[in-house]
Amino acid sequence: MSLTNPPSSGSISARARTSLKRNLQSFDETIDSRRTTGYTSKVRVRDRYHIVGFISSGTYGRVYKAIGKNGHKGEFAIKKFKPDKEGESIQYTGLSQSAIREMALCTELSHANVVQLEEIILEDKCIFMVFEYTEHDLLQIIHHHTQPQRHAIPAKMVRSILFQLLNGLLYLHTNWVLHRDLKPANILVTSSGAVRIGDLGLARLFYKPLNSLFTGDKVVVTIWYRAPELLLGSRHYTPAVDMWAVGCIFAELLSLRPIFKGEEAKMDSKKTVPFQRNQMMKIVEILGLPRKETWPGLASMPEYTQLQSLVLHRQPAHFHRGPNLEGWYQSCLKNGGYSATSSAGTPGADGFDLISRMLEYDPTKRITAEEALEHPYFTNGGSVSANCFEGIESKYPHRRVTQDDNDMRTGSLPGTKRSGLPDDSLLRTAKRLKE
């Protein structure tokens, strides 16, 4: 896989280059300075990094904050993958497919708005991916604006975040990469206001796949950000699923809460993918019911009969009143204090037009990342800053890094968890060495 010469059909047009030159200029030097790296063998993590603390845990393993040592300067986030295991006796069966994909893609991706991989270290039965450290993520920023009381994220800050996010997404899509899990928690922000798309665990190439994307991964994208074609069981999908997620993120930055906050129905014991009825209802309540007249491919969706059943069952009166996205948007601006005369500024009519084109039911009509970057929302109103914090007086707290041993437990093997608590083997070893 090579990303140095992307296919011509996915490249940026000459017209787009001219239109974007003014806004992209500030990003070019950063893009050129970033580099790709490969695997590192016969290197121990603790020889190169001092483990500062624990950041987060997930199905993949754990993430730690670290500081480089022995001339390796800087702050880093180390993602420790736990190996797959089988049986009570615990036999290692290798790494998960998502871990392999993430390593393969991150090794070759290099862009100012995509998180930078520094190196991959293989040690014992664990694999460590070492990334640049970012102090914030969008979920943390959104939460900060709800405390102690709700106060709007400034419109120019939202504009910068969204532009940088789309800029990174255009790079991924141009190089035939779908992210497939865009959400606020996966959009990282450095202390200098640079936005990085992170967590490519569900990302994959979509250029001429041997099987449909559905065959490999039946469930993708966190439920609140999942596009309607995915909810309706589409066996084939496109970068439009990422653009729907960006529309949901845009809405969340403005309203400080998820726009479509549904309840997820879990898979049964046979791993059958359920129809996400509640999530679909949340979308319909704001966008109205999708119609075959405006979405020609709707009737061919595998879950189309389930969608029809929503109409047959008794629903609240507002369920049938038709599209209400504009009403939601205007209410959002009013409640958030967005106006031309307020300190927060306003995304205005251009903002509504952009979000409505991102939240288009028909994926073939949904705006692309390239088209979005040319939208009047960005081209009007002056240049977009490469620092989303520029001119912002508010100081955002750095992400929480746990150092208290009382919060940590050690698993019986590297990369395992016990009692649902994160493995702290890196921290404990570091503490012993310090003592």
Side-chain angles (χ1 to χ4, degrees), residues 200-271:
L200 277 76
L202 275 178
R204 65 158 295 170
L205 295 173
F206 65 97
Y207 179 66
K208 293 184 178 178
L210 296 176
N211 295 308
S212 75
L213 299 180
F214 179 84
T215 303
D217 301 282
K218 292 181 172 57
V219 178
V220 293
V221 188
T222 301
I223 187 71
W224 297 340
Y225 309 91
R226 196 174 299 168
E229 62 268 32
L230 295 175
L231 294 172
L232 293 173
S234 177
R235 272 27 178 189
H236 302 279
Y237 51 87
T238 67
V241 301
D242 284 342
M243 291 306 299
W244 176 276
V246 174
C248 295
I249 292 170
F250 187 12
E252 194 165 339
L253 288 170
L254 296 176
S255 66
L256 305 179
R257 58 170 63 92
I259 183 173
F260 307 124
K261 191 175 181 179
E263 296 178 6
E264 183 172 14
K266 302 297 182 182
M267 283 190 181
D268 59 23
S269 58
K270 297 180 180 179
K271 299 296 183 182

Side-chain angles (χ1 to χ4, degrees), residues 40 43-46 121-128 414 426:
T40 302
V43 173
R44 298 187 68 81
V45 174
R46 289 176 293 274
I121 297 176
L122 289 72
E123 182 180 331
D124 297 329
K125 293 183 176 71
C126 292
I127 288 185
F128 301 87
L426 279 181

Side-chain angles (χ1 to χ4, degrees), residues 10-255:
S11 59
I12 308 174
S13 65
R15 177 175 62 86
R17 283 197 202 95
T18 301
S19 174
L20 294 176
K21 185 176 181 181
R22 170 172 55 85
N23 281 331
L24 286 175
Q25 187 173 9
S26 58
F27 294 94
D28 289 342
E29 292 181 3
T30 312
I31 294 171
D32 293 339
S33 68
R34 294 166 73 83
R35 59 182 177 83
T36 54
T37 54
Y39 301 95
T40 302
S41 61
K42 298 182 180 178
V43 173
R44 298 187 68 81
V45 174
R46 289 176 293 274
D47 292 340
R48 290 174 65 83
Y49 303 97
H50 167 67
I51 307 302
V52 176
F54 169 80
I55 300 174
S56 63
S57 178
T59 55
Y60 54 82
R62 282 141 304 283
V63 180
Y64 299 90
K65 181 180 180 181
I67 299 175
K69 60 183 185 179
N70 298 328
H72 192 52
K73 296 181 180 180
E75 294 183 324
F76 304 91
I78 301 181
K79 191 172 187 178
K80 177 185 177 183
F81 286 100
K82 60 180 182 183
D84 287 347
K85 303 177 293 297
E86 280 187 352
E88 291 297 325
S89 61
I90 304 184
Q91 293 182 336
Y92 290 101
T93 59
L95 283 170
S96 67
Q97 185 182 57
S98 63
I100 293 170
R101 278 185 191 156
E102 184 171 12
M103 287 188 290
L105 286 172
C106 288
T107 300
E108 297 201 32
L109 294 170
S110 181
H111 189 271
N113 299 123
V114 178
V115 69
Q116 177 72 23
L117 174 68
E118 295 293 328
E119 63 178 334
I120 300 173
I121 297 176
L122 289 72
E123 182 180 331
D124 297 329
K125 293 183 176 71
C126 292
I127 288 185
F128 301 87
M129 292 183 73
V130 182
F131 293 94
E132 62 173 327
Y133 181 74
T134 56
E135 292 78 4
H136 315 281
D137 61 53
L138 290 193
L139 185 61
Q140 176 197 32
I141 288 173
I142 290 169
H143 178 73
H144 175 75
H145 278 267
T146 65
Q147 305 294 327
Q149 57 186 12
R150 304 178 74 84
H151 55 293
I153 301 175
K156 66 176 183 178
M157 180 174 167
V158 173
R159 188 165 170 254
S160 174
I161 290 171
L162 201 62
F163 182 87
Q164 294 186 65
L165 170 56
L166 288 166
N167 193 37
L169 195 58
L170 175 59
Y171 169 77
L172 294 181
H173 291 172
T174 297
N175 289 289
W176 300 105
V177 177
L178 290 178
H179 188 281
R180 304 198 304 176
D181 197 19
L182 292 174
K183 57 184 177 181
N186 288 344
I187 310 303
L188 311 174
V189 185
T190 69
S191 59
S192 60
V195 173
R196 313 271 205 247
I197 296 174
D199 199 342
L200 277 76
L202 275 178
R204 65 158 295 170
L205 295 173
F206 65 97
Y207 179 66
K208 293 184 178 178
L210 296 176
N211 295 308
S212 75
L213 299 180
F214 179 84
T215 303
D217 301 282
K218 292 181 172 57
V219 178
V220 293
V221 188
T222 301
I223 187 71
W224 297 340
Y225 309 91
R226 196 174 299 168
E229 62 268 32
L230 295 175
L231 294 172
L232 293 173
S234 177
R235 272 27 178 189
H236 302 279
Y237 51 87
T238 67
V241 301
D242 284 342
M243 291 306 299
W244 176 276
V246 174
C248 295
I249 292 170
F250 187 12
E252 194 165 339
L253 288 170
L254 296 176
S255 66

